[in-house]
Amino acid sequence: MATTPDPDFVCSAARLLRATRVVTRHYDDALRPVGITITQFGLLNMIKRYEPESISDVAQMLNVDRTTLSRNLKPLENAGLVFRGNEGESRRRRVLLTTLGVAKLKEAMPLWRKAQTRIEEVLGEAKLQDLYGALALLRPETIAEG
């Protein structure tokens, strides 16, 4: 008689969520001295690097809905780290880093780098590249039921 596998041990979502919590906590702890989370660091870094044309572009890059993105941007905006521009053509609003946001990102970078180095040490180069490759396969279009 075949037994049904225990979802806690074979469920990819559960395993990814557990690992994500550990990794997120690691980065959040590292960034705590500068007062931002890894989610906020990622937003600041992405905005600085890509200078997106609109909030919708940011949401698309991060694969989140606009409501979630707005909720994540609000504390950064309140802290004076980002600025949401006025609506332009097609109701698009740019998101820009302020001078304070650029300074915060610069202050956080060495702390992020130290946390990143620790993850690299734990996993090693080969497993890290395998992980990145596997995660790159997990996009909505690749796992959608056909």
Side-chain angles (χ1 to χ4, degrees), residues 8-29:
D8 287 340
F9 293 104
V10 298
C11 178
S12 298
R15 285 176 174 222
L16 282 168
L17 285 168
R18 281 192 298 269
T20 299
R21 285 187 203 105
V22 169
V23 172
T24 298
R25 193 173 305 119
H26 170 69
Y27 282 95
D28 284 350
D29 288 348

Side-chain angles (χ1 to χ4, degrees), residues 39-111:
T39 300
Q40 293 169 331
F41 175 85
L43 267 171
L44 293 172
N45 193 54
M46 196 273 306
I47 292 166
K48 180 179 184 283
R49 184 172 185 187
Y50 296 106
E51 298 181 359
E53 291 294 320
S54 71
I55 291 173
S56 293
D57 290 346
V58 176
Q60 186 176 6
M61 284 185 231
L62 297 173
N63 197 29
V64 298
D65 60 72
R66 283 178 52 116
T67 304
T68 300
L69 178 59
S70 289
R71 190 172 49 249
N72 288 330
L73 283 172
K74 195 70 164 159
L76 297 175
E77 196 172 14
N78 290 342
L81 303 177
V82 298
F83 171 77
R84 286 194 247 192
N86 296 324
E87 283 186 7
E89 58 182 72
S90 303
R91 297 184 58 200
R92 295 166 69 89
R93 292 178 74 188
R94 274 194 92 170
V95 182
L96 303 167
L97 289 188
T98 63
T99 304
L100 191 59
V102 171
K104 181 65 74 174
L105 192 55
K106 186 176 181 180
E107 181 184 13
M109 193 59 73
L111 301 175

Side-chain angles (χ1 to χ4, degrees), residues 103-141:
K104 181 65 74 174
L105 192 55
K106 186 176 181 180
E107 181 184 13
M109 193 59 73
L111 301 175
W112 172 85
R113 199 168 286 117
K114 184 177 178 185
Q116 177 70 16
T117 298
R118 182 63 187 140
I119 295 293
E120 292 168 356
E121 290 169 355
V122 168
L123 292 177
E125 183 64 28
K127 286 183 181 169
L128 192 63
Q129 292 309 312
D130 286 346
L131 175 63
Y132 292 164
L135 292 173
L137 296 173
L138 296 176
R139 298 183 312 272
E141 63 273 10

